Amino acid sequence: MDFAKLKKRWTRFFSDYGMLLILAALCVFFSFITLNKQHPSGPEAAREIFRKISTNCTKNNAILILAGSGDQAFIFKETLSTRLDKAGYPNVHVLAGSPSDLRTGLDELAENKVQLDVAVATQEIASLPFVRELNSRYAEFAETQLISPQNYMWPDFLKKSNLMAVADRIIVIAIIAVGMTMVIITGGIDLSVGSLIALSAVVSTYLIREFAGAENASSVGMVLCCLAAILACGLIGVFSGLMVTHFLIPPFIVTLAMMMVASGLAFILAQGQSIYQVPNSLIWLGRGSDLGIPNTIVLMLIIYAAAYVLMTRMALGRYIYAVGGNQEAARLSGVPVKSILVFVYAVCGALAGLGGIVQVSQLKSGAPTYGLMYELYVIAAVVVGGTSLSGGEGKILGTLIGAFIIAVIQNGMNLTGVESYTQKVVLGLVILAAVLLDMLKKRGWKFKAKAR
């Protein structure tokens, strides 16, 4: 057996898929420690109870639906009522509301001697004393069968609602991380993206309020206002790129200055207040789900697919890697180095502007406080995803994996009750570990620093 080849293959495999394995391991870990007894509610409870009714009851049975208050209770009641009606169960009664409302309703049914063959409820309602003791408390309901959904063991982390929350939380960071990946691959950095989120949010909502009709704005007007905000952020990125390329100012200093400028402009334009005079239809992007999954996830996937094609299949992508690997060699090879640098900063600024539009759509308002500390999370996602801070190396899909690693760690700590201050410590150590792994990889996994 050729151990040298085996080691080389293993090293390459870990380099290409190590972050994906770490993401999978994190998902398994948080699934294990969040394993809990689940109480079906909403449509899930309605589906299970309907199956039990279809199996154990006849169409002539009198059925009582007991539902609490709140959104999930309303969905449970409406879903089950609709299913029973379509299945041909004509004798269905419904009681919904607070526990006192349910008790009063049961008293009235008992006084009127209403026949009930089956009473159905979620575990939360079925555990109420007057429901649990229905047969003994009410003589009229002594033969009434109580049906509730069965509890089961399942990780809180893997619940559909939680997984969607993980994806939704990371959308803005993941979108901006595409542009940041390109910037860092060229050997630069952009600290202004968090402030550009706020500026984009304020500019778009300000234009909608002042020039597009505020709450009565048309779809075309809203789109134009949002595009103007994205363009403004893209132009700030162009300005940063020009400062870096033509005046040779370090990217750290340029983007730090633009971070302060963009934040100040956002506060000036919004006068320190939130702008909420926007139409309800503005939430289509941030809260809609036309294809069965959130529109924001569809947008993120489109952006990553386009960026993947650009970086792996187009000459422009090869130029970006070449500039990061060695600017002078790239210039001598005919690569337009200055144009490439301006391009990546413009893309990063424009994507930050798009991130601001997504937040506006999610929150239905614009405020100069949006995007606080986002630049650090974006850089963390890029670095954890395997992009080298020294430039010339990185992958778009790796950045997506890095973004989800950050989101999974945060979500897992929230589920397990880790306080926010401790979360910052953990995330800081994760970033440090990612950078350390990058340095060790460059040194051939040798812990001893090279002699200078």
Side-chain angles (χ1 to χ4, degrees), residues 107-126:
D107 292 340
E108 292 177 356
L109 291 175
E111 289 176 5
N112 295 327
K113 299 189 180 302
V114 176
Q115 178 187 356
L116 294 178
D117 298 301
V118 178
V120 299
T122 61
Q123 282 289 341
E124 180 184 7
I125 300 300

Side-chain angles (χ1 to χ4, degrees), residues 66-265:
L66 294 168
S69 57
D71 294 340
Q72 288 297 309
F74 177 80
I75 295 172
F76 164 74
K77 176 191 68 174
E78 292 298 314
T79 303
L80 184 55
S81 299
T82 302
R83 287 199 168 208
L84 291 173
D85 181 61
K86 289 182 178 180
Y89 289 86
N91 195 4
V92 177
H93 305 272
V94 178
L95 290 178
S98 65
S100 60
D101 294 332
L102 298 178
R103 190 187 303 110
T104 300
L106 285 172
D107 292 340
E108 292 177 356
L109 291 175
E111 289 176 5
N112 295 327
K113 299 189 180 302
V114 176
Q115 178 187 356
L116 294 178
D117 298 301
V118 178
V120 299
T122 61
Q123 282 289 341
E124 180 184 7
I125 300 300
S127 63
L128 295 173
F130 63 89
V131 177
R132 188 175 64 248
E133 301 167 1
L134 186 68
N135 301 130
S136 58
R137 183 181 289 266
Y138 299 97
E140 294 80 4
F141 306 144
E143 302 299 325
T144 300
Q145 180 185 5
L146 179 62
I147 296 178
S148 61
Q150 189 70 31
N151 294 332
Y152 60 92
M153 298 298 292
W154 188 256
D156 290 334
F157 177 79
L158 291 182
K159 292 169 69 173
K160 181 181 178 180
S161 59
N162 185 66
L163 293 177
M164 296 304 293
V166 171
D168 189 60
R169 176 182 176 82
I170 206 64
I171 290 297
V172 174
I173 292 173
I175 288 174
I176 302 173
V178 171
M180 187 68 76
T181 300
M182 296 180 186
V183 170
I184 293 180
I185 286 176
T186 63
I189 198 165
D190 191 343
L191 300 178
S192 67
V193 292
S195 296
L196 290 179
I197 292 174
L199 182 62
S200 174
V202 168
V203 168
S204 59
T205 51
Y206 177 84
L207 292 176
I208 291 173
R209 184 186 67 184
E210 299 297 329
F211 302 104
E215 290 91 342
N216 300 316
S218 65
S219 298
V220 174
M222 287 189 295
V223 169
L224 291 176
C225 292
C226 292
L227 289 176
I230 294 172
L231 178 61
C233 293
L235 290 175
I236 290 178
V238 170
F239 179 81
S240 297
L242 291 174
M243 291 295 103
V244 171
T245 56
H246 287 74
F247 295 93
L248 303 181
I249 304 176
F252 182 90
I253 301 300
V254 172
T255 57
L256 178 63
M258 296 316 299
M259 176 180 72
M260 299 176 68
V261 169
S263 178
L265 289 174

Side-chain angles (χ1 to χ4, degrees), residues 352-364:
L354 179 58
I357 300 302
V358 171
Q359 283 214 328
V360 166
S361 187
Q362 290 175 330
L363 303 174
K364 200 191 165 191

